[in-house]
Amino acid sequence: MFQTFKGNNNSEDVVREDLQHAIVARYIRFIPLYWSQKGRIGVRFELYGCSYWADVISFDGHSIISYRFRSKKMKTLRDVISLKFKTTTRDGVLLYGEGQQGDYILLELRRATMELSINLGSSQDNMIQGHTSVTSGSLLDDGHWHSVVIERYRRNINFTLDHHTHQFRTNGDFEHLDLDYELTFGGLSESAKMGFGGKENFVGCMERITYNGDNITSLVRRKKVDTSSF
C-alpha cells in the first residue's frame, strides 16, 4: 500500500495523517519525495497503532491439540482451513485428520518446505489411488510468520502459501473427505503414528487457526477443545 503525506513548513507545527486502511505490517518504509526550500531538511515522526488481538499458541514438540467433531464422523464436500505459523525447525506436522475408510489430510513441514497430502479415497475395483501430494515454498524455518490457506471443493483444491496459490485436482474418483472423531494440530494422534511413523511434531507458534468457520485458537483459549496432551 502506498500513500503520500504532506508535512509541515516550519519547525513548530505538528501535522497528523491517518492511513486510508488499517494494516498489519512487519516493516513501514518512508520515501521522501520533496522538501521545503525554506531552510534545513529534517524529519521527525511517530507511529500510533490500534489494538490488535492475536491468540498465539506455542508448541514444544511434545504437545498436540485435538479438535473433536460434534459427531463421530465428518463427511464434507467443501473445506476451508487456514492458519499462520512460524518456526526455526525444518520438519513437523501442523495438521492431521484421518478416517477409517482410508481418507486423510496431512499438512507438514518437510525440509523447510510445506507439503499437503490428501486422500479422498482409493478405488480397489479400478485400481485408482486417491493419494495426492503437493509441495510449496522453501526456507520456511526462518522464524518469520507464514500463512497457509487450504480451500477444497470436491476434488478441486486451492493451496495458498504466503499469497501464492497452487491449484490442483486430487487423484481418484471420490469427492467427499471422510474423517473420524478429530483433527489434530501440532502433531499426529496416537492411532496415526502407526501408519505414519517417524514424523515429528511441530515446534514453533501458530495463530488464527480456523477450520470450516470454527476459530480453533479461540476455542483453545476458552478451553472448548481437548488440550490434555498439550
Side-chain angles (χ1 to χ4, degrees):
M1 187 185 90
F2 296 92
Q3 187 171 339
T4 302
F5 303 103
K6 185 177 181 180
N8 57 9
N9 54 17
N10 55 48
S11 59
E12 291 84 22
D13 293 342
V14 176
V15 176
R16 173 170 176 160
E17 297 282 354
D18 295 325
L19 294 176
Q20 297 174 355
H21 306 284
I23 63 171
V24 177
R26 184 182 303 161
Y27 305 107
I28 297 179
R29 184 181 184 185
F30 292 91
I31 303 176
L33 300 179
Y34 60 91
W35 50 82
S36 172
Q37 302 296 326
K38 302 178 181 178
R40 297 180 179 178
I41 303 169
V43 62
R44 174 182 174 181
F45 58 85
E46 296 176 343
L47 296 177
Y48 296 90
C50 54
S51 58
Y52 173 69
W53 181 266
D55 289 328
V56 178
I57 305 174
S58 298
F59 295 83
D60 61 3
H62 302 283
S63 54
I64 65 173
I65 291 174
S66 173
Y67 171 71
R68 298 285 175 83
F69 302 139
R70 294 180 179 89
S71 57
K72 291 184 178 181
K73 294 181 180 296
M74 184 70 69
K75 184 175 183 178
T76 59
L77 197 65
R78 180 193 302 269
D79 292 297
V80 179
I81 305 171
S82 64
L83 58 86
K84 295 184 65 178
F85 74 93
K86 69 175 179 178
T87 182
T88 55
T89 59
R90 303 182 64 195
D91 302 278
V93 174
L94 282 80
L95 162 72
Y96 181 75
E98 64 178 355
Q100 294 181 359
Q101 296 182 358
D103 295 19
Y104 57 80
I105 181 171
L106 171 65
L107 180 68
E108 62 176 328
L109 281 169
R110 297 188 64 182
R111 301 183 184 90
T113 297
M114 186 61 63
E115 180 172 311
L116 171 64
S117 299
I118 187 169
N119 191 337
L120 302 182
S122 301
S123 175
Q124 296 181 355
D125 296 335
N126 298 327
M127 300 299 293
I128 298 177
Q129 297 297 318
H131 172 78
T132 308
S133 183
V134 174
T135 61
S136 181
S138 62
L139 304 178
L140 299 178
D141 56 346
D142 57 1
H144 296 305
W145 284 106
H146 300 278
S147 62
V148 182
V149 180
I150 303 169
E151 302 168 293
R152 182 186 69 88
Y153 179 65
R154 298 181 184 270
R155 294 174 54 202
N156 302 304
I157 295 181
N158 289 340
F159 179 34
T160 303
L161 174 65
D162 294 336
H163 307 293
H164 298 284
T165 301
H166 190 166
Q167 298 179 327
F168 64 96
R169 283 174 61 86
T170 60
N171 299 324
D173 297 327
F174 299 98
E175 298 182 334
H176 288 85
L177 178 61
D178 296 289
L179 302 179
D180 295 336
Y181 305 114
E182 65 182 358
L183 279 175
T184 57
F185 298 91
L188 298 175
S189 62
E190 290 299 326
S191 60
K193 289 181 180 179
M194 298 179 62
F196 290 90
K199 292 191 178 297
E200 300 180 12
N201 285 5
F202 176 74
V203 179
C205 296
M206 293 191 211
E207 70 167 354
R208 299 186 194 176
I209 307 173
T210 64
Y211 169 71
N212 290 346
D214 287 341
N215 189 327
I216 306 301
T217 45
S218 177
L219 294 176
V220 170
R221 177 165 53 88
R222 293 186 287 127
K223 299 180 180 180
K224 299 295 184 180
V225 297
D226 182 11
T227 56
S228 58
S229 59
F230 181 73

